[in-house]
Coordinates of all heavy atoms in Angstrom, one line a residue:
N1 N 2.3 114.1 112.4 CA 2.5 114.6 111.1 C 3.9 114.8 110.8 O 4.6 115.5 111.5 CB 1.6 115.8 110.9 CG 1.6 116.3 109.4 OD1 1.9 115.5 108.5 ND2 1.2 117.5 109.2
K2 N 4.5 114.2 109.8 CA 5.9 114.3 109.5 C 6.1 114.9 108.1 O 5.4 114.5 107.2 CB 6.6 112.9 109.5 CG 8.1 113.0 109.2 CD 8.7 111.6 109.5 CE 8.8 110.8 108.3 NZ 9.6 109.6 108.4
T3 N 6.9 116.0 108.0 CA 7.0 116.7 106.8 C 8.6 116.9 106.5 O 9.3 117.1 107.5 CB 6.3 118.0 106.7 OG1 6.8 118.8 107.8 CG2 4.8 117.9 106.8
N4 N 8.9 117.0 105.3 CA 10.3 117.4 104.9 C 10.5 118.8 105.3 O 9.7 119.7 104.9 CB 10.5 117.2 103.4 CG 10.4 115.8 102.9 OD1 10.5 114.9 103.7 ND2 10.2 115.6 101.6
K5 N 11.5 119.1 106.0 CA 11.8 120.4 106.4 C 12.9 121.1 105.5 O 12.7 122.2 105.0 CB 12.2 120.4 107.9 CG 12.5 121.8 108.5 CD 11.3 122.6 108.7 CE 11.6 123.9 109.4 NZ 10.5 124.7 109.6
I6 N 14.0 120.5 105.5 CA 15.2 121.1 104.7 C 15.7 120.0 103.8 O 15.9 118.8 104.1 CB 16.3 121.4 105.7 CG1 15.8 122.3 106.8 CG2 17.5 121.9 105.0 CD1 15.6 123.7 106.4
K7 N 16.0 120.4 102.5 CA 16.6 119.6 101.5 C 17.9 120.2 101.1 O 18.1 121.4 101.1 CB 15.7 119.4 100.3 CG 14.4 118.6 100.6 CD 13.7 118.3 99.4 CE 12.4 117.5 99.7 NZ 11.7 117.1 98.5
D8 N 18.8 119.3 100.7 CA 20.1 119.8 100.2 C 20.1 120.1 98.8 O 19.0 120.0 98.2 CB 21.3 118.8 100.6 CG 21.1 117.5 99.9 OD1 20.3 117.3 99.0 OD2 21.9 116.6 100.3
K9 N 21.2 120.5 98.2 CA 21.2 120.8 96.8 C 20.8 119.7 95.8 O 20.3 119.8 94.7 CB 22.6 121.4 96.4 CG 22.9 122.7 97.0 CD 24.3 123.1 96.6 CE 24.7 124.4 97.3 NZ 26.0 124.9 97.0
A10 N 21.1 118.5 96.3 CA 20.8 117.3 95.5 C 19.3 116.8 95.7 O 18.8 115.9 95.0 CB 21.6 116.1 95.9
G11 N 18.6 117.5 96.5 CA 17.2 117.2 96.7 C 16.9 116.2 97.8 O 15.7 115.7 98.0
K12 N 17.9 115.8 98.5 CA 17.8 114.8 99.6 C 17.4 115.5 100.9 O 17.9 116.6 101.2 CB 19.1 114.1 99.9 CG 19.5 113.1 98.7 CD 20.8 112.5 99.0 CE 20.7 111.4 100.0 NZ 22.0 110.6 100.2
T13 N 16.4 115.0 101.6 CA 16.0 115.5 102.8 C 17.1 115.4 103.9 O 17.6 114.4 104.1 CB 14.7 114.9 103.3 OG1 13.7 115.0 102.3 CG2 14.2 115.4 104.6
T14 N 17.4 116.5 104.6 CA 18.3 116.5 105.6 C 17.8 116.7 107.0 O 18.4 116.4 108.0 CB 19.4 117.6 105.4 OG1 18.8 118.9 105.4 CG2 20.2 117.4 104.1
R15 N 16.5 117.2 107.0 CA 15.9 117.5 108.3 C 14.3 117.3 108.1 O 13.8 117.7 107.1 CB 16.2 118.9 108.8 CG 15.7 119.1 110.2 CD 16.3 120.3 110.8 NE 16.3 121.5 110.0 CZ 16.8 122.7 110.2 NH1 17.4 122.9 111.4 NH2 16.7 123.7 109.4
Y16 N 13.7 116.7 109.1 CA 12.2 116.6 109.1 C 11.6 117.4 110.3 O 12.3 117.6 111.2 CB 11.9 115.1 109.3 CG 12.1 114.2 108.1 CD1 13.2 113.4 108.1 CD2 11.1 114.1 107.2 CE1 13.4 112.6 107.0 CE2 11.3 113.3 106.1 CZ 12.4 112.5 106.0 OH 12.6 111.7 104.9
S17 N 10.4 117.8 110.0 CA 9.6 118.4 111.1 C 8.5 117.4 111.5 O 7.8 116.9 110.6 CB 9.0 119.7 110.5 OG 8.2 120.3 111.5
L18 N 8.3 117.2 112.7 CA 7.3 116.3 113.3 C 6.4 117.1 114.2 O 6.8 117.9 115.0 CB 8.0 115.2 114.1 CG 7.3 114.1 114.6 CD1 6.8 113.2 113.4 CD2 8.2 113.2 115.5
S19 N 5.1 117.0 114.0 CA 4.1 117.7 114.8 C 3.0 116.8 115.2 O 2.6 115.9 114.5 CB 3.6 118.9 114.0 OG 2.8 118.5 112.9
V20 N 2.5 117.0 116.4 CA 1.3 116.3 116.9 C 0.3 117.3 117.5 O 0.7 118.2 118.2 CB 1.8 115.3 118.1 CG1 0.6 114.6 118.7 CG2 2.8 114.3 117.6
S21 N -1.0 117.1 117.2 CA -2.0 118.0 117.7 C -3.0 117.2 118.5 O -3.2 116.1 118.3 CB -2.7 118.7 116.5 OG -1.8 119.5 115.8
A22 N -3.6 117.9 119.5 CA -4.6 117.3 120.3 C -5.7 118.3 120.5 O -5.4 119.5 120.8 CB -4.1 116.8 121.6
E23 N -7.0 117.9 120.4 CA -8.1 118.8 120.7 C -8.7 118.3 121.9 O -9.1 117.1 122.0 CB -9.1 118.7 119.5 CG -8.5 119.5 118.2 CD -9.6 119.6 117.2 OE1 -10.8 119.9 117.5 OE2 -9.3 119.5 116.0
L24 N -8.8 119.2 122.9 CA -9.3 118.8 124.2 C -10.6 119.5 124.4 O -10.9 120.7 124.0 CB -8.3 119.3 125.3 CG -6.9 118.8 125.1 CD1 -6.0 119.5 126.1 CD2 -6.8 117.4 125.3
K25 N -11.5 118.8 125.1 CA -12.8 119.4 125.5 C -13.2 118.8 126.9 O -13.2 117.6 127.1 CB -13.9 118.9 124.4 CG -15.2 119.5 124.6 CD -16.1 118.8 123.6 CE -17.1 119.8 123.0 NZ -18.0 119.2 122.1
I26 N -13.4 119.8 127.8 CA -13.8 119.4 129.2 C -15.2 120.0 129.4 O -15.4 121.2 129.2 CB -12.8 120.0 130.2 CG1 -11.4 119.3 130.0 CG2 -13.3 119.8 131.6 CD1 -10.3 119.7 130.9
T27 N -16.0 119.2 129.9 CA -17.4 119.6 130.3 C -17.6 119.5 131.8 O -17.4 118.4 132.3 CB -18.5 118.7 129.5 OG1 -18.2 118.8 128.1 CG2 -19.8 119.3 129.8
N28 N -18.0 120.6 132.4 CA -18.5 120.5 133.8 C -19.8 120.0 133.9 O -20.8 120.5 133.3 CB -18.4 122.0 134.3 CG -18.7 122.0 135.8 OD1 -19.6 121.3 136.3 ND2 -18.0 122.9 136.5
V29 N -19.9 118.8 134.6 CA -21.2 118.2 134.6 C -22.3 118.9 135.4 O -23.5 118.8 135.2 CB -21.1 116.7 135.2 CG1 -20.3 115.9 134.3 CG2 -20.5 116.7 136.6
D30 N -21.9 119.8 136.4 CA -22.8 120.6 137.1 C -23.4 121.7 136.3 O -24.5 121.9 136.3 CB -22.2 121.1 138.5 CG -21.8 119.9 139.3 OD1 -22.5 118.9 139.3 OD2 -20.8 120.1 140.1
S31 N -22.5 122.5 135.8 CA -22.9 123.7 135.0 C -23.0 123.5 133.5 O -23.5 124.5 132.8 CB -21.9 124.8 135.3 OG -20.7 124.5 134.7
Q32 N -22.6 122.4 133.0 CA -22.6 122.1 131.6 C -21.7 123.1 130.8 O -21.9 123.2 129.6 CB -24.1 122.1 131.0 CG -24.9 121.1 131.6 CD -24.4 119.7 131.3 OE1 -24.0 119.3 130.2 NE2 -24.4 118.9 132.4
R33 N -20.8 123.7 131.5 CA -19.8 124.7 130.8 C -18.8 123.8 130.1 O -18.3 122.9 130.7 CB -19.2 125.6 131.8 CG -18.3 126.7 131.3 CD -17.8 127.5 132.4 NE -16.3 127.3 132.2 CZ -15.5 127.7 133.1 NH1 -15.9 128.2 134.3 NH2 -14.2 127.5 132.9
V34 N -18.5 124.2 128.8 CA -17.6 123.4 128.0 C -16.4 124.3 127.8 O -16.5 125.5 127.4 CB -18.2 123.0 126.7 CG1 -17.2 122.3 125.8 CG2 -19.4 122.1 127.0
I35 N -15.3 123.7 128.0 CA -14.0 124.5 127.7 C -13.2 123.6 126.7 O -13.0 122.4 126.9 CB -13.1 124.6 129.0 CG1 -13.9 125.3 130.1 CG2 -11.8 125.3 128.7 CD1 -13.2 125.3 131.4
S36 N -12.8 124.2 125.6 CA -12.1 123.6 124.5 C -10.7 124.2 124.2 O -10.6 125.4 124.5 CB -12.9 123.7 123.2 OG -14.2 123.0 123.4
R37 N -9.8 123.4 123.8 CA -8.5 124.0 123.5 C -7.8 123.0 122.5 O -7.9 121.8 122.6 CB -7.7 124.1 124.7 CG -6.3 124.7 124.5 CD -5.6 124.9 125.7 NE -4.2 125.4 125.4 CZ -3.3 125.4 126.3 NH1 -3.5 125.0 127.5 NH2 -2.1 125.8 125.9
K38 N -7.1 123.6 121.6 CA -6.3 122.8 120.6 C -4.8 123.0 121.0 O -4.4 124.1 121.1 CB -6.6 123.1 119.2 CG -5.8 122.3 118.2 CD -6.1 122.6 116.8 CE -5.4 121.7 115.8 NZ -5.6 121.9 114.5
I39 N -4.1 121.9 121.1 CA -2.6 122.1 121.5 C -1.9 121.4 120.3 O -2.2 120.3 119.9 CB -2.3 121.3 122.8 CG1 -3.1 122.0 124.0 CG2 -0.9 121.4 123.2 CD1 -3.0 121.2 125.2
T40 N -0.8 122.1 119.9 CA 0.1 121.5 118.9 C 1.5 121.6 119.3 O 1.9 122.7 119.8 CB -0.1 122.2 117.5 OG1 -1.5 122.1 117.1 CG2 0.8 121.6 116.5
E41 N 2.2 120.6 119.2 CA 3.7 120.6 119.5 C 4.4 120.2 118.4 O 4.1 119.3 117.6 CB 4.0 119.6 120.7 CG 3.6 120.2 122.1 CD 4.4 121.4 122.5 OE1 5.5 121.6 122.1 OE2 3.7 122.3 123.2
K42 N 5.6 120.8 118.1 CA 6.5 120.5 117.0 C 7.9 120.3 117.4 O 8.3 120.8 118.4 CB 6.4 121.7 116.0 CG 5.1 122.0 115.4 CD 5.1 123.1 114.5 CE 3.8 123.5 113.9 NZ 3.7 124.6 113.0
S43 N 8.6 119.5 116.6 CA 10.0 119.2 116.9 C 10.6 118.9 115.5 O 10.0 118.4 114.6 CB 10.2 118.1 117.9 OG 11.6 117.9 118.1
E44 N 11.9 119.1 115.4 CA 12.7 118.8 114.2 C 13.7 117.8 114.5 O 14.3 117.7 115.6 CB 13.3 120.0 113.6 CG 12.2 121.0 113.1 CD 12.9 122.3 112.5 OE1 14.1 122.3 112.5 OE2 12.1 123.1 112.1
Y45 N 14.1 117.0 113.6 CA 15.2 116.0 113.8 C 15.9 115.9 112.5 O 15.4 116.1 111.3 CB 14.8 114.7 114.3 CG 13.9 113.9 113.3 CD1 14.4 113.0 112.5 CD2 12.5 114.1 113.3 CE1 13.6 112.2 111.6 CE2 11.7 113.4 112.5 CZ 12.2 112.5 111.6 OH 11.4 111.7 110.8
Y46 N 17.2 115.6 112.6 CA 18.2 115.5 111.4 C 18.2 114.1 110.8 O 18.1 113.1 111.6 CB 19.6 115.9 111.8 CG 19.7 117.4 111.9 CD1 19.5 118.0 113.2 CD2 19.9 118.3 110.8 CE1 19.6 119.4 113.4 CE2 20.0 119.6 111.0 CZ 19.9 120.2 112.3 OH 19.9 121.5 112.4
V47 N 18.4 114.0 109.6 CA 18.6 112.7 108.9 C 20.1 112.4 109.2 O 21.0 113.2 108.8 CB 18.3 112.8 107.4 CG1 18.7 111.5 106.7 CG2 16.9 113.1 107.2
A48 N 20.4 111.2 109.7 CA 21.7 110.8 110.0 C 22.3 110.0 108.8 O 21.6 109.6 107.8 CB 21.8 109.9 111.2
K49 N 23.6 109.7 108.8 CA 24.2 108.9 107.8 C 23.6 107.5 107.8 O 23.4 106.9 106.7 CB 25.7 108.8 107.9 CG 26.4 110.2 107.6 CD 27.9 110.1 107.7 CE 28.4 111.4 107.4 NZ 29.9 111.4 107.3
N50 N 23.4 107.0 109.0 CA 22.8 105.6 109.1 C 21.3 105.7 109.3 O 20.8 106.5 110.0 CB 23.5 104.8 110.3 CG 24.9 104.7 110.1 OD1 25.4 104.4 109.0 ND2 25.6 104.8 111.2
Y51 N 20.6 104.8 108.7 CA 19.1 104.7 108.8 C 18.7 104.6 110.2 O 17.8 105.2 110.7 CB 18.5 103.7 107.9 CG 17.0 103.6 108.0 CD1 16.2 104.5 107.4 CD2 16.4 102.5 108.7 CE1 14.8 104.4 107.5 CE2 15.1 102.4 108.8 CZ 14.3 103.4 108.2 OH 12.9 103.3 108.3
S52 N 19.4 103.7 111.0 CA 19.1 103.4 112.3 C 19.2 104.6 113.2 O 18.4 104.8 114.2 CB 19.9 102.2 112.9 OG 21.3 102.5 112.9
D53 N 20.2 105.4 112.9 CA 20.4 106.7 113.7 C 19.3 107.7 113.3 O 18.9 108.5 114.2 CB 21.8 107.3 113.4 CG 22.9 106.5 114.0 OD1 22.7 105.7 114.9 OD2 24.1 106.6 113.5
T54 N 18.9 107.7 112.1 CA 17.7 108.6 111.8 C 16.5 108.2 112.5 O 15.7 109.0 113.0 CB 17.5 108.6 110.2 OG1 18.6 109.0 109.6 CG2 16.3 109.4 109.8
I55 N 16.3 106.9 112.6 CA 15.1 106.4 113.4 C 15.2 106.7 114.8 O 14.2 107.1 115.5 CB 14.9 104.8 113.2 CG1 14.7 104.5 111.7 CG2 13.9 104.2 114.1 CD1 13.4 105.0 111.2
K56 N 16.4 106.7 115.4 CA 16.6 107.1 116.8 C 16.3 108.6 117.0 O 15.6 109.0 118.0 CB 18.0 106.8 117.2 CG 18.4 105.3 117.5 CD 19.8 105.2 117.9 CE 20.2 103.7 117.8 NZ 21.6 103.5 118.1
N57 N 16.8 109.4 116.0 CA 16.5 110.8 116.1 C 14.9 111.1 116.1 O 14.5 111.9 116.8 CB 17.2 111.5 114.9 CG 18.7 111.5 115.0 OD1 19.2 111.2 116.1 ND2 19.4 111.9 113.9
E58 N 14.3 110.3 115.2 CA 12.8 110.5 115.1 C 12.1 110.1 116.4 O 11.2 110.8 116.9 CB 12.2 109.7 113.9 CG 10.8 109.9 113.7 CD 10.2 109.1 112.5 OE1 10.9 108.2 112.0 OE2 9.1 109.3 112.2
K59 N 12.6 109.0 116.9 CA 12.0 108.5 118.1 C 12.2 109.5 119.3 O 11.3 109.7 120.1 CB 12.7 107.1 118.5 CG 12.1 106.5 119.7 CD 12.7 105.1 119.9 CE 12.1 104.4 121.2 NZ 12.7 103.1 121.4
N60 N 13.4 110.1 119.4 CA 13.7 111.1 120.4 C 12.8 112.3 120.3 O 12.3 112.8 121.2 CB 15.2 111.5 120.4 CG 16.1 110.3 120.9 OD1 15.6 109.5 121.7 ND2 17.3 110.4 120.6
A61 N 12.6 112.8 119.0 CA 11.8 113.9 118.7 C 10.3 113.6 119.1 O 9.6 114.4 119.7 CB 11.9 114.3 117.3
S62 N 9.9 112.4 118.8 CA 8.6 111.9 119.2 C 8.4 111.9 120.7 O 7.3 112.3 121.2 CB 8.3 110.5 118.5 OG 7.0 110.1 118.9
K63 N 9.4 111.4 121.4 CA 9.3 111.4 122.9 C 9.2 112.8 123.4 O 8.4 113.0 124.4 CB 10.5 110.6 123.5 CG 10.4 109.1 123.4 CD 11.6 108.5 124.0 CE 11.7 107.0 123.9 NZ 12.9 106.5 124.6
L64 N 10.0 113.7 122.9 CA 9.9 115.1 123.4 C 8.6 115.7 123.2 O 8.0 116.3 124.1 CB 11.0 115.9 122.7 CG 11.1 117.4 123.0 CD1 11.5 117.6 124.4 CD2 12.1 118.0 122.0
I65 N 8.0 115.5 122.0 CA 6.7 116.1 121.7 C 5.6 115.5 122.6 O 4.8 116.2 123.1 CB 6.3 115.8 120.2 CG1 7.2 116.7 119.3 CG2 4.8 116.0 120.0 CD1 7.0 116.4 117.8
T66 N 5.7 114.2 122.8 CA 4.7 113.5 123.7 C 4.8 114.0 125.1 O 3.8 114.3 125.7 CB 5.0 112.0 123.7 OG1 4.9 111.5 122.3 CG2 4.0 111.2 124.5
Q67 N 6.0 114.2 125.6 CA 6.2 114.8 127.0 C 5.6 116.2 127.0 O 4.9 116.6 128.0 CB 7.6 114.8 127.3 CG 7.9 115.2 128.8 CD 7.1 114.3 129.8 OE1 7.2 113.1 129.8 NE2 6.4 114.9 130.7
Q68 N 6.0 117.0 126.1 CA 5.5 118.4 126.1 C 4.0 118.5 125.9 O 3.3 119.3 126.6 CB 6.1 119.2 124.9 CG 7.6 119.4 125.0 CD 8.2 120.0 123.8 OE1 7.8 119.8 122.7 NE2 9.4 120.7 124.0
L69 N 3.4 117.6 125.1 CA 2.0 117.6 124.9 C 1.3 117.1 126.2 O 0.3 117.7 126.6 CB 1.6 116.6 123.8 CG 0.3 116.8 123.1 CD1 0.0 118.2 122.6 CD2 0.1 115.8 122.0
S70 N 1.8 116.1 126.8 CA 1.1 115.6 128.1 C 1.2 116.7 129.2 O 0.3 116.8 129.9 CB 1.7 114.3 128.5 OG 3.1 114.4 128.8
D71 N 2.4 117.4 129.2 CA 2.5 118.5 130.2 C 1.4 119.5 130.0 O 0.8 120.0 130.9 CB 3.9 119.1 130.2 CG 5.0 118.1 130.7 OD1 4.6 117.1 131.4 OD2 6.1 118.5 130.5
Q72 N 1.2 119.9 128.8 CA 0.3 120.9 128.4 C -1.2 120.5 128.7 O -2.1 121.2 129.1 CB 0.4 121.4 127.0 CG 1.6 122.3 126.7 CD 1.4 123.1 125.5 OE1 0.3 123.5 125.1 NE2 2.5 123.4 124.8
I73 N -1.5 119.2 128.4 CA -2.8 118.6 128.7 C -3.0 118.6 130.2 O -4.2 119.0 130.7 CB -2.9 117.2 128.2 CG1 -3.0 117.3 126.6 CG2 -4.1 116.5 128.7 CD1 -2.9 115.9 125.9
L74 N -2.1 118.2 131.0 CA -2.2 118.3 132.5 C -2.5 119.7 133.0 O -3.4 119.9 133.8 CB -1.0 117.7 133.2 CG -0.9 116.1 133.2 CD1 0.4 115.7 133.7 CD2 -2.1 115.6 134.0
D75 N -1.7 120.7 132.5 CA -1.9 122.0 132.8 C -3.3 122.5 132.5 O -3.9 123.2 133.3 CB -0.8 122.9 132.2 CG 0.6 122.7 132.7 OD1 0.7 122.1 133.8 OD2 1.5 123.2 132.0
F76 N -3.7 122.1 131.3 CA -5.1 122.5 130.9 C -6.2 122.0 131.8 O -7.1 122.7 132.3 CB -5.4 122.1 129.5 CG -6.7 122.3 129.0 CD1 -7.2 123.5 128.7 CD2 -7.6 121.2 128.7 CE1 -8.5 123.7 128.2 CE2 -8.8 121.4 128.3 CZ -9.3 122.7 128.0
I77 N -6.0 120.7 132.2 CA -7.0 120.1 133.1 C -7.0 120.7 134.4 O -8.0 121.0 135.0 CB -6.7 118.5 133.1 CG1 -7.0 117.9 131.8 CG2 -7.6 117.9 134.3 CD1 -6.6 116.4 131.7
I78 N -5.8 120.9 135.0 CA -5.7 121.5 136.3 C -6.3 122.9 136.3 O -7.0 123.3 137.2 CB -4.2 121.5 136.8 CG1 -3.7 120.1 137.1 CG2 -4.0 122.4 138.0 CD1 -2.2 120.0 137.2
L79 N -6.0 123.7 135.3 CA -6.5 125.1 135.2 C -8.0 125.1 135.1 O -8.7 125.9 135.6 CB -5.8 125.9 134.2 CG -4.3 126.3 134.4 CD1 -3.7 127.0 133.2 CD2 -4.2 127.2 135.6
S80 N -8.5 124.1 134.3 CA -10.0 124.1 134.1 C -10.7 123.7 135.3 O -11.8 124.2 135.6 CB -10.3 123.0 132.9 OG -9.7 123.4 131.8
I81 N -10.1 122.8 136.1 CA -10.7 122.4 137.4 C -10.8 123.6 138.4 O -11.8 123.8 139.1 CB -10.0 121.2 138.0 CG1 -10.2 120.0 137.1 CG2 -10.5 120.9 139.4 CD1 -9.4 118.8 137.4
K82 N -9.7 124.3 138.4 CA -9.6 125.5 139.4 C -10.6 126.6 139.1 O -11.1 127.3 139.9 CB -8.2 126.1 139.4 CG -7.2 125.1 140.1 CD -5.9 125.8 140.2 CE -4.9 124.9 140.9 NZ -3.5 125.4 141.0
N83 N -10.9 126.7 137.8 CA -11.8 127.8 137.4 C -13.2 127.2 137.4 O -14.2 127.4 137.2 CB -11.5 128.3 136.0 CG -10.2 129.1 136.0 OD1 -9.8 129.6 137.0 ND2 -9.5 129.0 134.9

């Protein structure tokens, strides 16, 4: 999800907010116990003077969110297995 975060006096967007959410559900096949969790990660990036630089900024923000989200998903799975 990408939203305008900050606009200047002229109404031009200067910064965007990017967010990604994941809903996780793990079911223990033996006990049928279900564990659910929703994870949301957010990042912001600036609009550059060049469009290509803005795209690079968005791509870097997206990579950061993806890495953070995957780390949290792994942690959730590991903790769920241990319990």
Side-chain angles (χ1 to χ4, degrees):
N1 187 16
K2 180 170 99 172
T3 57
N4 297 340
K5 181 71 175 179
I6 305 284
K7 292 186 177 187
D8 63 10
K9 292 179 183 178
K12 292 176 77 176
T13 301
T14 59
R15 189 167 47 181
Y16 284 99
S17 177
L18 190 63
S19 67
V20 176
S21 297
E23 290 189 35
L24 308 173
K25 186 185 219 182
I26 294 179
T27 304
N28 182 320
V29 293
D30 295 329
S31 67
Q32 296 302 314
R33 188 178 118 196
V34 177
I35 303 170
S36 300
R37 181 173 177 198
K38 182 176 181 178
I39 300 171
T40 301
E41 285 295 330
K42 297 178 183 180
S43 183
E44 295 179 358
Y45 65 94
Y46 287 93
V47 174
K49 290 183 180 183
N50 299 323
Y51 178 73
S52 60
D53 290 338
T54 301
I55 296 300
K56 287 178 191 175
N57 292 345
E58 182 179 14
K59 186 176 178 180
N60 289 338
S62 180
K63 282 182 181 180
L64 176 66
I65 289 174
T66 303
Q67 183 61 50
Q68 291 171 336
L69 198 60
S70 64
D71 289 345
Q72 285 200 33
I73 290 170
L74 280 173
D75 289 344
F76 174 69
I77 292 170
I78 290 167
L79 290 174
S80 298
I81 291 171
K82 287 182 179 180
N83 292 332

